Amino acid sequence: MTLPIAVLVSGTGSNLQALIDRIGEGVLPARITAVVSNKSDAKGLARAARHGIPAIALPPADYPDRAGHDAALLAAVRDSGAKAVVLAGYMRLLSPDFVAAYRNRILNIHPALLPSFPGMHGQRDAADYGVTIAGATVHFVDEQMDHGPVVIQAAVPACPDDDAASLGARIMTLEHRIYPQAVAWLATGRLAIHGCKTRLAPADAPPADLSDVTPCLVNPPLEAGF
Ligand code: GRF
């Protein structure tokens, strides 16, 4: 069972690279049918091309209005043969028509523990707020921005000296772990949506080794006696 996916990017595409790498390693049963971007100069497009993946630029300025751009985006994704859509740093809200066409088959990754800090600057907003735990969320996409049933979240410590860059780098390490995992769950039919919640069907797989990242549920750490 290999899921054909289209990946939408606007920037660097490091999450795209994580998906490409896990597919190459044979642990993610997916095939990337196209990488589509609203930015012609997105590094993610060049990354796709280097890996022989069709890379399509659809700059909004080439279309008379938002509806026209959204229709072209949907056509490009459909024509690629994708059965699901993976947003990997795609910085535009999808139209209701697009969401309806791929309902419950669109995933997004956001660099904050949703529903906290939605929007363009999740890491910066979390750092500025002074939270002590930050993280990343993979969720199904609905019509609202950074909203929909949560699939997986990962938490990292945040420190008073953190800024968007330092906190973002810590979060990114885990983004690259959890996004391929979430797409693999989608590809193998393990995810079911019940209302606002996602249920994951169990598997026999052993837990991953996370010893190279800082596991954190409570930060600062509790001290003896508590
Ligand atoms: C990531 O932080 C992701 O969570 C957010 O956009 C960023 C994309 O980074 N949605 P990259 O292009 O995958 O490197």
Side-chain angles (χ1 to χ4, degrees), residues 2-212:
T2 298
L3 181 67
I5 58 172
V7 181
L8 274 51
V9 301
S10 296
T12 310
S14 69
N15 279 288
L16 165 67
Q17 188 66 54
L19 296 169
I20 292 170
D21 291 346
R22 302 322 293 264
I23 290 170
E25 291 162 9
V27 294
L28 170 53
R31 176 173 60 85
I32 302 177
T33 59
V35 172
V36 187
S37 182
N38 58 322
K39 306 258 189 209
S40 306
D41 59 351
K43 288 190 180 144
L45 285 180
R47 207 185 277 275
R50 275 202 302 280
H51 287 273
I53 300 167
I56 303 166
L58 299 176
D62 288 358
Y63 299 87
D65 52 25
R66 179 172 270 273
H69 180 261
D70 286 340
L73 178 65
L74 181 55
V77 168
R78 268 190 174 142
D79 291 352
S80 77
K83 299 286 184 236
V85 179
V86 174
L87 308 185
Y90 187 66
M91 297 301 184
R92 272 174 75 87
L93 193 62
L94 296 175
S95 68
D97 283 352
F98 193 107
V99 174
Y102 279 90
R103 186 165 302 283
N104 298 344
R105 286 178 294 143
I106 309 172
L107 293 177
N108 181 44
I109 188 161
H110 182 71
L113 294 173
L114 293 173
S116 292
F117 310 118
M120 299 281 282
H121 305 288
Q123 312 95 320
R124 188 196 69 191
D125 294 344
D128 288 352
Y129 192 92
V131 297
T132 61
I133 297 174
T137 303
V138 178
H139 64 96
F140 283 102
V141 170
D142 64 17
E143 288 77 4
Q144 299 175 52
M145 186 175 57
D146 298 327
H147 189 270
V150 170
V151 176
I152 184 172
Q153 294 182 300
V156 300
C159 314
D161 293 339
D162 268 323
D163 58 14
S166 62
L167 184 57
R170 203 172 303 126
I171 293 169
M172 191 62 99
T173 304
L174 281 166
E175 290 191 37
H176 297 163
R177 303 287 291 266
I178 65 174
Y179 213 7
Q181 169 70 87
V183 177
W185 287 334
L186 183 70
T188 51
R190 303 251 318 271
L191 301 177
I193 297 175
H194 296 269
C196 66
K197 295 185 184 178
T198 304
R199 289 196 196 286
L200 172 66
D204 296 333
D209 177 10
L210 281 174
S211 55
D212 58 330

